[in-house]
Amino acid sequence: MQTSVVKVDPVSPAVESIRQAAAVIREGRLVAFPTETVYGLGANALDGSAVLGIYEAKRRAPDDPCIVHIAGLNDLARVTTMPVSRLLGLAQRYWPGPLSLVLPRAQAIPDVVAAGRSTVAVRMPDHAVALALIRESGVPIAAPSANMFMHTSPTTAEHVWDDLAGRIDLILDGGPTRIGVESTVLDLSCDVPTVLRPGAISIESLRGVLGPAVALADVGTSSGAVGMKSPGTSPKHYAPSAELMLYDGERVAVLRAMAQKVADFIGERKEVGALVTDEDAPYLDLPGLVLVRLGSGNDLEAVARHLFSALRELDGRGVSVILARNFPPHDIGLAIRDRLTRAAGGRVIRL
Ligand code: TXA
Ligand code: MG
């Protein structure tokens, strides 16, 4: 299959390009498109065989359900039986934006989208290209992240190309994404609203709206062991090919241990990389080490934005092991921690 790439303005995409992409969606084929979080791999959410194509293209495990993307609250009734009045003000507060809500599934949503569950994850992305594509297609769009299964999510069209060229029909290239980590997944189908995947909408913010009862599933954020409560959140996820060694603990002790480990690896002639903040970089200015910076540790949003492309860059530079220091578990730091812990296969080196 030939994969076309069409450049689009991320703020005001050309109507022609959107029409072309919408035609592909309506034909039951696949389009990768930018959202504010990461690139999605989209298909008509009402067409089971189109959605099956997503699972084939990215070799996704069939038990891992997709998020359905809508462009307006009018679309909600097509995907869930939950009326907007019961969304606890979340839609008004966060949509369009990086919050996916797990809701009871409407009949029109095929089994394959929800991996056979009675629920469906829904979100309204905050990106002009995504919204225009959904509107022009005239259907909700099911879209997981546009990467090969278990690989790092794509934050540029080049990342999508590297993973999926020849396997999908079209990539809309709207440049790098603004947030860089995936949406927060909040389960509203159970008694206590539960964050299944931390993301750009912080748990602090959700507690501000819903009250302190909001729960956090054990998803690789606090302890070294990673829970398996929600599908698609297996420990080895968001992973680069290189082994990631993730450190946690008192800063200077961790940086010393990392520097020592780097020296050991280089002594063994291993290709070694490190993922660091600007502030930590001077401590790891070691010959032979491939250092990739994430921005200032005081700007967790910048770190989130650079995280996945930094992991891909280190892979591209051929290192076999990557060292990183963990981030604090507040705000978007919780999502960064979750993705790094998964990329490390759930193992954290505590000092
Ligand atoms: O930011 C995002 O969420 C991106 C963009 C493209 O919207 N999408 C994304 O999709 O990250 P994906 O498929 O890579 O991750 C979806 C997550 C998975 O952890 C999946 O298990 C969970 O949402 N999920 C989807 N439907 C669910 C359901 N019915 N119940 C529980 N979890 C669900
Ligand atoms: Mg994904």
Side-chain angles (χ1 to χ4, degrees), residues 318-342:
V319 302
S320 60
V321 56
I322 300 168
L323 282 73
R325 189 164 80 83
N326 222 341
F327 286 82
H330 61 79
D331 302 300
I332 204 169
L334 192 67
I336 297 169
R337 240 175 124 82
D338 172 69
R339 305 309 187 271
L340 280 174
T341 304
R342 283 179 204 298

Side-chain angles (χ1 to χ4, degrees), residues 62-134:
D63 64 348
D64 188 1
C66 297
I67 295 172
V68 174
H69 297 70
I70 59 175
L73 288 178
N74 291 340
D75 298 339
L76 199 64
R78 299 174 87 179
V79 300
T80 177
T81 54
M82 188 94 114
V84 70
S85 60
R86 291 196 44 212
L87 296 185
L88 313 170
L90 293 167
Q92 286 82 355
R93 172 80 166 74
Y94 294 109
W95 285 353
L99 180 66
S100 298
L101 298 176
V102 174
L103 304 171
R105 162 158 78 114
Q107 283 232 311
I109 298 295
D111 264 351
V112 55
V113 173
R117 304 177 152 240
S118 60
T119 55
V120 63
V122 185
R123 87 175 188 101
M124 193 189 297
D126 185 15
H127 196 291
V129 173
L131 292 172
L133 178 63
I134 300 163

Side-chain angles (χ1 to χ4, degrees), residues 37 40 60 64-65 67 69 119 121 123 144-145 182-183 196-197 231:
T37 57
R60 186 179 178 88
D64 188 1
I67 295 172
H69 297 70
T119 55
R123 87 175 188 101
S145 50
E182 305 87 341
S183 64
L196 300 180
R197 178 177 72 182

Side-chain angles (χ1 to χ4, degrees), residues 38 58 60 64 144-154 182 197 232 237-238:
V38 300
K58 61 175 282 179
R60 186 179 178 88
D64 188 1
S145 50
N147 51 281
M148 278 312 246
F149 185 53
M150 304 287 266
H151 198 194
T152 312
S153 289
E182 305 87 341
R197 178 177 72 182
H237 207 108
Y238 311 101

